Amino acid sequence: CIRDSLLTASGSAQVEIEPDVATISLGVKATRDTPKQAADIVRRGVADIKAALAGLGVTEDAIETSELYLGEAQEYSYETHRTETVGYKAYHWLRVTLRNEDFGKLADVTDAAVGAGATRLGDLQFDLDDDTAVKAQALAEATAAAREKAEAMAQASGARIVGVYRVSQSWGGPYYGG
C-alpha cells in the first residue's frame, strides 16, 4: 500500500492602504452626592460637547453613544478595610467617527471636546469603512505565495502536487504605520 504524503506550505501577504475613517472616544464622568446631580452634570457636559463638535461641522450621525452608566461610586477604605459608597458616579462615553477628508479636524475635535468639558479622551483608531476588498486581496496574495512555495518544495523533492488537502487563514489585523 502506497501512502499519500502531505506537503505543508504557508503564505502571507501585506496590503498597504490608507485608512478612510478615524474614531475617537470621549465623554464626561462625574461623581456627586446624588444620582441626579451626577447624571445632570454628565447630561449637560455631553450636550456641550455635541454643540462644540457641531460648530466644527461634525454631524450628529458621526457621534454615537458607546457607553452610559449611573451607579454607586465606591472606594476602598484602608482605615475600615471595607469598600464604602462615597456617592454616585455617572459617565457617558461617545464615539466620534471622522472620514478621511476630515482627518485634519482631529486636533480641533479633541480641543473642542476638552474645552466643552470632556473628562475622558482617547482610543484614537484609524480603520477602513469597508475592508472586504482589501481582505480578499490579501487572501489571494497569501494563497498564491503558499502555492508557489509548495510547488518549489514538490519539485525539489521529486514529488508532484495532485490537490489541496486543507486551506486555512488567520487575520493579523490592520496596521497603519510609517
Side-chain angles (χ1 to χ4, degrees):
C1 174
I2 298 176
R3 188 166 177 192
D4 292 332
S5 297
L6 291 177
L7 181 145
T8 303
S10 65
S12 64
Q14 180 175 325
V15 178
E16 293 187 20
I17 189 163
E18 292 292 321
D20 60 3
V21 293
T23 57
I24 188 164
S25 297
L26 50 91
V28 180
K29 177 180 174 182
T31 303
R32 294 295 184 268
D33 291 336
T34 70
K36 183 176 180 350
Q37 291 170 333
D40 284 347
I41 288 170
V42 168
R43 181 185 43 76
R44 284 192 305 270
V46 166
D48 291 346
I49 290 169
K50 287 182 175 182
L53 298 181
L56 294 173
V58 177
T59 61
E60 189 69 33
D61 65 334
I63 304 169
E64 63 183 341
T65 295
S66 61
E67 194 172 348
L68 184 63
Y69 176 83
L70 175 63
E72 291 181 342
Q74 298 182 331
E75 290 181 0
Y76 182 78
S77 169
Y78 291 98
E79 292 175 15
T80 64
H81 302 288
R82 294 188 345 217
T83 301
E84 299 174 356
T85 299
V86 295
Y88 292 87
K89 172 174 63 175
Y91 57 81
H92 188 161
W93 303 149
L94 303 170
R95 183 175 16 264
V96 179
T97 302
L98 298 177
R99 303 283 169 204
N100 59 344
E101 62 270 10
D102 292 327
F103 284 178
K105 291 182 183 178
L106 278 169
D108 294 335
V109 165
T110 59
D111 289 347
V114 171
T119 59
R120 177 182 185 233
L121 184 69
D123 300 329
L124 174 62
Q125 296 180 5
F126 292 93
D127 210 343
L128 294 175
D129 191 37
D130 181 3
D131 63 359
T132 306
V134 173
K135 283 184 175 180
Q137 179 184 349
L139 285 172
E141 289 178 15
T143 302
R147 179 71 185 200
E148 186 177 319
K149 288 178 186 178
E151 288 172 355
M153 288 188 289
Q155 183 179 12
S157 64
R160 65 182 174 88
I161 296 175
V162 295
V164 175
Y165 176 70
R166 181 182 345 185
V167 175
S168 66
Q169 64 96 27
S170 63
W171 174 246
Y175 168 72
Y176 305 107

